[in-house]
Amino acid sequence: MSRAASASLALVLALAVFLVDQGFKRLIEGSMRLGESTPLIPQVLRLTHTRNEGGAFGILGGQSGVLLLGSAVAVAFVLWILLKATPTRATTSGCGLILGGAAGNLLDRLSAGEVTDFLDLEFWPLQQWPVFNAADVAIVLGAAILLLDSFRSEKASRRSAEGDRQDQEPSADGG
């Protein structure tokens, strides 16, 4: 896959994630009162309308400048990966998911100063897990894809280097 095709696909995926995230947030905001909660999958997942002025899991609450700067750095880093790394499906998918999720939460922060969250896990051991949103899911999945791909790439590079060393070793018959 060419670098241009990879970047285009990542941006299309990012746009899709952004639109899905924003659509769900507007649906929740328009149909549920703040603090309202309803089971989606009984004893597994609830829809709970909350607002979060912090980052993931509520960290850095009230630190909007730090969060905006962190978001900008993260987006720049992901764009750098997308433009510099060898284009693969994993790189394209991971970067697209992260960019779309980051854009969804960034729009909330810029427009409202906080993020709408609505996914609430309620099964053990995650009963006390913070409420999150579709953008958060995309960011975590994208980061996991990039991380797993980097391990796979590193392992392949080591195998290739070991193969090159074996090719360069003299054979037992002196050749």
Side-chain angles (χ1 to χ4, degrees):
M1 172 182 329
S2 73
R3 194 170 306 285
S6 176
S8 296
L9 282 171
L11 292 176
V12 167
L13 178 56
L15 179 61
V17 167
F18 174 81
L19 293 173
V20 166
D21 174 65
Q22 291 297 303
F24 275 124
K25 288 173 179 173
R26 298 304 81 81
L27 181 65
I28 294 297
E29 291 168 348
S31 63
M32 296 178 76
R33 291 179 320 276
L34 193 60
E36 183 179 353
S37 186
T38 187
L40 190 60
I41 302 171
Q43 298 174 346
V44 175
L45 179 67
R46 299 178 68 77
L47 289 180
T48 301
H49 182 192
T50 65
R51 305 286 286 176
N52 176 8
E53 66 177 24
F57 314 119
I59 61 170
L60 297 175
Q63 302 291 320
S64 60
V66 172
L67 291 168
L68 290 173
L69 178 62
S71 295
V73 169
V75 167
F77 180 69
V78 169
L79 287 173
W80 176 80
I81 290 172
L82 188 60
L83 297 173
K84 294 295 181 184
T86 302
T88 65
R89 285 186 190 150
T91 303
T92 300
S93 301
C95 289
L97 288 167
I98 292 169
L99 287 174
N105 282 341
L106 185 59
L107 177 63
D108 286 3
R109 280 193 207 334
L110 291 172
S111 62
E114 54 191 3
V115 174
T116 297
D117 288 329
F118 53 89
L119 297 170
D120 188 4
L121 296 173
E122 64 174 354
F123 63 91
W124 184 88
L126 301 176
Q127 290 170 328
Q128 298 304 312
W129 196 260
V131 180
F132 54 99
N133 60 42
D136 298 333
V137 172
I139 292 166
V140 169
L141 284 176
I145 288 169
L146 291 178
L147 184 63
L148 291 173
D149 187 53
S150 72
F151 289 143
R152 188 181 59 152
S153 297
E154 184 178 310
K155 190 175 183 178
S157 294
R158 270 192 260 131
R159 258 191 260 131
S160 176
E162 288 171 7
D164 290 347
R165 279 195 305 268
Q166 289 175 354
D167 291 344
Q168 293 173 0
E169 291 177 4
S171 63
D173 62 5

